[in-house]
Amino acid sequence: MTDLIDAGVNLTNHQFEGEHQAVIARANAAGVKAMLLIGCDIPSSQQSLELATRFDQYSTAGVHPHDAKDATEQLESTLTELAQNSAVVAIGECGLDYNRDFSPRDIQRSVLRRQLALAEKLNLPVYLHERDASDDMLSILKEFKVRGVLHCFTGNKQALKNYLNLGLYIGITGWVCDERRGKELQALVPSIPLERLLIETDAPFLIPRTITPKPKSRKNEPANLSYVCATLAKLYNVDENLVAKHSTENFYSLFDIAGR
Ligand SMILES: [Zn+2]
């Protein structure tokens, strides 16, 4: 089996406390040779960088729309400082979430614009989150020169088309393994070019429902990435190795990492 890269792990989540090394070891044993650790506010961006440095992985630095309300005037300077480190390969997770509305929408939009402007200035890709906000997302993205990934894509056909037209990569999680709420996404998968696909677990969230036997815990981890890969291979009607090969190459190419 070709090596996999998990393009989205929330390793700083409290559910992984005290077992970072073990989680990474289990991932390696399951063929996941690298992972991108997601920062979703300043403390988790700092901690993701620390973990990425310690365990030779990659990380993002940014503020999630849920936390946009807590962004300060120092946002740009703090993220710039974090981004000086070579382990930081993207600005984000940033975006818009009108599904949960944990931050006021106008603040979400302004904090997204600030991070897109910063990414453009630093010439870094962005790691994007969008839920129920594709129209606003699209019009804001068009204001900038953006390259990046729309992580955990769960949108509709039109949104997918728009994001692909902007040149974005599309991140697919275990959502696609859900026989109930993943139906629409499953139908869309074949229209995502393999050259634009990234695969991710978004662990500890979104445990694939295709794992057998059914695990007792709902806590997901990067070692389960192969289940996402297997479901995608079925939907594309190709070999799993081809999905693995493309998503790994795409990861290196998007994040400007010389292949290892
Ligand atoms: Zn997200």
Side-chain angles (χ1 to χ4, degrees), residues 13-24:
N13 188 280
H14 65 92
Q15 293 187 56
F16 289 130
E17 217 175 296
E19 60 162 352
H20 299 136
Q21 192 154 18
V23 168
I24 292 170

Side-chain angles (χ1 to χ4, degrees), residues 200-249:
E200 39 174 353
T201 56
D202 207 21
F205 314 115
L206 299 175
I207 189 160
R209 287 175 53 87
T210 44
I211 299 178
T212 50
K214 277 253 171 300
K216 285 191 194 76
S217 157
R218 285 169 52 82
K219 179 178 153 191
N220 195 10
E221 62 173 73
N224 294 327
L225 188 63
S226 62
Y227 290 92
V228 180
C229 185
T231 297
L232 284 168
K234 262 190 209 142
L235 294 166
Y236 279 109
N237 197 20
V238 298
D239 192 87
E240 280 178 50
N241 285 297
L242 192 70
V243 175
K245 175 181 167 285
H246 278 286
S247 56
T248 293
E249 283 173 6

